[in-house]
Amino acid sequence: MKVDVSTPKTRRVTLADVAAASGVSKTAVSLILNNRPDSRISEQTAARVRQTANDLGYRPNLAAQSLRFGKTRTLGFISEQVTVTRFASGMITGILRAAKQHDHTVLMAETFGEEPELRQAIAQMSHREVDGLILGFMDSRLRELPGLESEVPVVLVNGHDTQPRTCIMPDEFAAGSTVAHRLQQAAITRVALIGTHRRATLHPESYPSITRRFAGLTQALAAEGIGITGQWELEDWNPSDGFTATRAMLAGNQPPQALICANDRVAMGAYQALAEHGLRPGIDMPVISFDDEDIAAYLRPALTTVRLPYEQMGEKAVELLLGGQLTADEHLVPMPLIERDSLPARR
Amino acid sequence: MKVDVSTPKTRRVTLADVAAASGVSKTAVSLILNNRPDSRISEQTAARVRQTANDLGYRPNLAAQSLRFGKTRTLGFISEQVTVTRFASGMITGILRAAKQHDHTVLMAETFGEEPELRQAIAQMSHREVDGLILGFMDSRLRELPGLESEVPVVLVNGHDTQPRTCIMPDEFAAGSTVAHRLQQAAITRVALIGTHRRATLHPESYPSITRRFAGLTQALAAEGIGITGQWELEDWNPSDGFTATRAMLAGNQPPQALICANDRVAMGAYQALAEHGLRPGIDMPVISFDDEDIAAYLRPALTTVRLPYEQMGEKAVELLLGGQLTADEHLVPMPLIERDSLPARR
DNA sequence: GTTTGGTGCTAAATGCATTTAGCACCGACT
DNA sequence: AGTCGGTGCTAAATGCATTTAGCACCAAAC
């Protein structure tokens, strides 16, 4: 059964239609429907026109409005990798929610991590005359943004430009304190750091997030009087890396009282290595981590971790863009501790 | 240091500018730049105009074009839950990729699973005059779509309407055969099914995907001569559910030779229960599953699973929308088997 | 009586690209 | 000489909402 469900256009109702139907000029209708303050239209006429507009189901044509105003009530979101993890999703959710609040819609593009794609997406978006542009990155590498000479206001989320530019970052440094303080409360005095980042260690200025995460951690641990038994440098932060590192750590002769994992995936690998060693994560060996990906809740015991607040970051980006004056500041968003079951209760 | 990076608009280059700069009429410029076939403009003039347009960096104003054509070269994507899992992300990626190929951009909205939000999003999008609408659902419940009397062509991804409507579904039934056949190749003759779905069993017509998944499975297993030692009904399909069910299964007296898990999260729970029982997943107990979420690759041993092809489904949605005649058919997209390490090699 | 000030409304211009209808000119043919 | 058919181009209309400038009318004020 082939049913054609493509639909022939019925002509839409225009301002002129409403004007004709209510016997006034287009001007009058426009003034009335937009509630222009000093329009001096009689309340009678106004009521009649409003009624007619309503009956006819009139909605102003957005293309026409855009043409007049040079504004589209649209925001562009260009993301490096939507595909990867829950991160971009959180960002999208925050952006969508905030945009809706401001009666804006969101145009999406993805660069798949490629620079030409990024350039093209930026061109595409400014061509579409978005009122603001949000660039979301997945790792916070410093970068030079191509093709951004255009006139669109821009906010970077989770990344920096070599130019001064408005950007939004998670407060990784403070997160270090959060973790150290929490460990101190659990009366832990010796920890192992599973997973520093090789490239970040080599080029700290290129990986501000990771660098701050560990700087905050080291400083706060020292302040709380917690010793570091060792730290393992990794190329990547996937479960298999965490597994290898933890295994190596366990083969050493300096057993820590708890594990700080670079992120949740590393923690997952740590769980696997601990299990292999007959150690129960969270009981025989407390674990705390960063990010709060989906898997954090899936692990057994569920992982206590410091959340990357992507949703709030997305919201904030919209607020800044639509809220008026954009200044080239860096905005830090706090990272909340998500208490689950991999770290003994405070005492 | 406060640097103002909001940017005052520089007037954009219009067709009239190009016309003036090259000393011809707007008509001529339009004809030339759009390569109108029988425009009878001399090649000399054309070359000159093209040069000027290029020098000035002229780009046609899309609002003006939309106004004329009533087309926006924009697709709307309304998703039930971007937040949840990699699924919507895969869909987005596919849609974005295909849209770009057709030189369209994508407007996003999210319903957060609420019907009023869905209705509003649909209204919003048709108001924005999108050229097509993609509705993406996360569970494939049959549903009645609100506020869809409008004139926009629509494709549903992973869901059905009570109206005849174009929709795209994963080929769950065939996936059942894939799994059964693969098990047969591994010489397995008795399996346990971890996780049928309570609500889906009660209302099969409301959960076509789940229903088909198990119908395909049951039928194909029978055809391959593989026996089912038992199946566990679950309320939800999260790791904790899989854990509970597998534990119950292990307490029984009919040990299977392999586990078929309802999805990857269930499989993750099954891994945990097996480990608790001293059984090594994939070695002492082969496991196969459905979906191919991120965790499938993270598990140890990595999980062999049948992928939900969301990316292809997103692409297909765009192709159908932009490819001309839309018919109210259901399109099935094959689900590929992703071989990893939780099922012994074929022989 | 006529200037002043409201009041209630409208014509026309604007933003920009596209398209229809058609003008002006030239060479060729009758 | 007059007509026909090209060729090369243009003026004006169109799509739609908003805004500026201003018209027509009436009452009050001088």
Side-chain angles (χ1 to χ4, degrees):
Chain A
M1 167 207 58
K2 301 257 174 196
V3 179
D4 189 339
V5 288
S6 67
T7 33
K9 304 272 167 199
T10 52
R11 218 179 58 74
R12 53 176 301 149
V13 179
T14 74
L15 193 73
D17 297 333
V18 178
S22 38
V24 293
S25 70
K26 292 192 299 167
T27 309
V29 179
S30 176
L31 292 173
I32 291 163
L33 296 183
N34 292 306
N35 290 312
R36 268 306 111 97
D38 38 356
S39 61
R40 303 186 323 216
I41 305 276
S42 72
E43 198 35 63
Q44 255 187 41
T45 314
R48 184 159 43 88
V49 167
R50 265 190 274 268
Q51 184 60 48
T52 316
N54 203 34
D55 293 350
L56 264 52
Y58 169 71
R59 317 237 46 204
N61 181 321
L62 285 174
Q65 288 187 321
S66 298
L67 184 55
R68 277 244 77 204
F69 297 140
K71 294 259 164 209
T72 50
R73 301 196 76 72
T74 300
L75 258 28
F77 174 46
I78 300 178
S79 142
E80 221 181 12
Q81 296 259 63
V82 188
T83 322
V84 169
T85 75
R86 79 164 178 85
F87 295 157
S89 304
M91 223 134 101
I92 296 176
T93 304
I95 290 171
L96 250 27
R97 194 195 307 278
K100 187 189 225 168
Q101 224 122 68
H102 291 260
D103 191 31
H104 278 235
T105 45
V106 178
L107 220 43
M108 283 229 8
E110 173 158 336
T111 68
F112 305 99
E114 306 289 332
E115 197 199 282
E117 308 271 335
L118 176 58
R119 182 186 297 279
Q120 202 204 320
I122 291 174
Q124 169 85 271
M125 294 271 174
S126 26
H127 183 200
R128 296 244 164 194
E129 222 106 23
V130 293
D131 297 342
L133 204 48
I134 299 171
L135 296 175
F137 299 99
M138 282 307 100
D139 53 12
S140 51
R141 239 176 304 123
L142 191 82
R143 69 193 64 224
E144 183 139 24
L145 291 170
L148 251 187
E149 335 74 20
S150 78
E151 349 63 19
V152 200
V154 175
V155 170
L156 307 191
V157 183
N158 212 34
H160 293 99
D161 190 4
T162 43
Q163 300 291 310
R165 190 88 68 186
T166 314
C167 63
I168 300 174
M169 299 289 288
D171 193 351
E172 294 274 7
F173 193 86
S177 307
T178 307
V179 166
H181 190 63
R182 179 66 182 79
L183 288 170
Q184 182 270 320
Q185 286 191 311
I188 283 163
T189 57
R190 293 192 328 278
V191 296
L193 260 49
I194 305 295
T196 57
H197 192 106
R198 215 177 73 79
R199 290 192 303 281
T201 313
L202 259 44
H203 308 286
E205 74 293 348
S206 298
Y207 293 86
S209 271
I210 295 177
T211 305
R212 291 173 189 179
R213 178 173 296 186
F214 281 94
L217 211 43
T218 332
Q219 180 173 320
L221 287 174
E224 299 280 0
I226 299 174
I228 300 178
T229 65
Q231 51 190 84
W232 278 259
E233 184 172 75
L234 298 174
E235 196 64 44
D236 267 312
W237 281 2
N238 283 318
S240 57
D241 305 297
F243 180 81
T244 318
T246 307
R247 207 186 223 176
M249 186 275 292
L250 289 168
N253 48 10
Q254 271 221 311
Q257 293 171 325
L259 258 41
I260 301 179
C261 291
N263 74 1
D264 298 339
R265 272 170 290 138
V266 167
M268 183 172 179
Y271 269 45
Q272 294 163 346
L274 290 172
E276 196 195 51
H277 240 251
L279 290 170
R280 291 163 301 173
I283 300 170
D284 305 319
M285 181 64 76
V287 178
I288 191 168
S289 167
F290 292 86
D291 284 10
D292 193 31
E293 289 190 61
D294 286 343
I295 50 163
Y298 294 160
L299 289 175
R300 213 149 215 284
L303 186 60
T304 293
T305 189
V306 184
R307 177 181 292 167
L308 234 18
Y310 279 116
E311 209 171 312
Q312 283 77 342
M313 291 166 71
E315 274 179 18
K316 178 126 204 170
V318 175
E319 306 296 347
L320 286 175
L321 231 31
L322 264 27
Q325 229 53 26
L326 264 195
T327 53
D329 293 313
E330 180 181 66
H331 299 257
L332 294 178
V333 180
M335 298 177 60
L337 175 68
I338 309 298
E339 287 274 5
R340 282 194 275 253
D341 312 318
S342 66
L343 197 57
R346 303 152 187 261
R347 34 170 161 163
Chain B
M1 166 208 56
K2 301 257 170 191
V3 180
D4 189 340
V5 287
S6 66
T7 34
K9 303 271 165 196
T10 52
R11 220 179 57 70
R12 52 176 303 150
V13 180
T14 73
L15 193 74
D17 297 333
V18 178
S22 39
V24 294
S25 69
K26 294 192 298 167
T27 309
V29 178
S30 176
L31 292 172
I32 291 162
L33 295 183
N34 292 304
N35 290 312
R36 271 304 111 97
D38 39 355
S39 59
R40 302 183 326 216
I41 306 274
S42 72
E43 197 37 63
Q44 256 185 39
T45 314
R48 184 161 42 87
V49 167
R50 263 189 275 268
Q51 184 61 48
T52 317
N54 203 34
D55 293 349
L56 264 50
Y58 168 71
R59 317 236 47 202
N61 180 320
L62 285 174
Q65 288 186 322
S66 298
L67 185 56
R68 277 248 72 207
F69 297 140
K71 295 258 166 209
T72 51
R73 302 195 77 72
T74 300
L75 259 27
F77 174 45
I78 300 177
S79 142
E80 221 181 11
Q81 298 260 59
V82 187
T83 323
V84 169
T85 74
R86 77 162 180 83
F87 295 156
S89 305
M91 224 134 98
I92 296 176
T93 304
I95 290 171
L96 251 27
R97 195 195 306 277
K100 185 188 224 168
Q101 223 124 64
H102 292 259
D103 191 30
H104 279 235
T105 45
V106 178
L107 220 42
M108 283 230 5
E110 172 158 335
T111 69
F112 304 100
E114 307 289 331
E115 197 200 284
E117 308 271 337
L118 176 59
R119 179 188 300 279
Q120 201 205 319
I122 291 174
Q124 169 85 272
M125 295 270 173
S126 24
H127 184 199
R128 298 245 164 192
E129 222 107 23
V130 294
D131 296 343
L133 204 47
I134 299 170
L135 297 175
F137 299 98
M138 282 306 98
D139 54 12
S140 52
R141 238 176 304 124
L142 190 82
R143 69 191 66 223
E144 183 139 22
L145 290 171
L148 250 186
E149 334 73 20
S150 77
E151 348 64 20
V152 199
V154 175
V155 170
L156 308 190
V157 182
N158 213 36
H160 293 99
D161 190 4
T162 43
Q163 301 290 311
R165 191 87 68 186
T166 315
C167 63
I168 300 173
M169 299 288 288
D171 194 350
E172 295 274 6
F173 193 87
S177 307
T178 308
V179 166
H181 190 63
R182 179 65 182 76
L183 288 170
Q184 181 271 319
Q185 286 190 312
I188 282 162
T189 57
R190 292 192 329 279
V191 295
L193 260 48
I194 305 294
T196 56
H197 192 104
R198 215 178 72 78
R199 290 192 303 280
T201 314
L202 259 43
H203 308 285
E205 75 292 349
S206 298
Y207 294 86
S209 271
I210 296 178
T211 306
R212 291 173 189 176
R213 180 174 294 186
F214 281 94
L217 212 43
T218 331
Q219 179 172 321
L221 287 173
E224 300 280 359
I226 299 174
I228 301 179
T229 66
Q231 51 191 85
W232 279 261
E233 184 174 74
L234 298 175
E235 196 65 44
D236 266 313
W237 282 2
N238 283 317
S240 57
D241 305 296
F243 180 79
T244 317
T246 308
R247 208 185 220 175
M249 186 276 292
L250 289 167
N253 49 10
Q254 270 221 312
Q257 293 171 326
L259 260 38
I260 301 178
C261 291
N263 75 1
D264 298 340
R265 273 169 289 138
V266 168
M268 181 172 180
Y271 269 46
Q272 294 163 346
L274 290 173
E276 197 195 48
H277 239 250
L279 290 170
R280 290 163 303 173
I283 300 170
D284 304 320
M285 181 64 76
V287 179
I288 190 168
S289 168
F290 293 87
D291 284 9
D292 194 30
E293 290 189 61
D294 287 343
I295 51 164
Y298 295 160
L299 290 174
R300 213 153 214 284
L303 186 60
T304 293
T305 189
V306 185
R307 175 180 295 167
L308 233 20
Y310 279 116
E311 207 170 313
Q312 284 77 345
M313 290 165 71
E315 273 179 19
K316 179 126 204 173
V318 175
E319 304 298 346
L320 286 175
L321 231 32
L322 264 26
Q325 230 53 26
L326 265 195
T327 53
D329 292 313
E330 178 179 67
H331 299 258
L332 293 178
V333 180
M335 298 177 61
L337 175 67
I338 309 298
E339 288 274 5
R340 283 194 274 252
D341 312 317
S342 65
L343 196 59
R346 303 154 187 259
R347 32 171 159 161

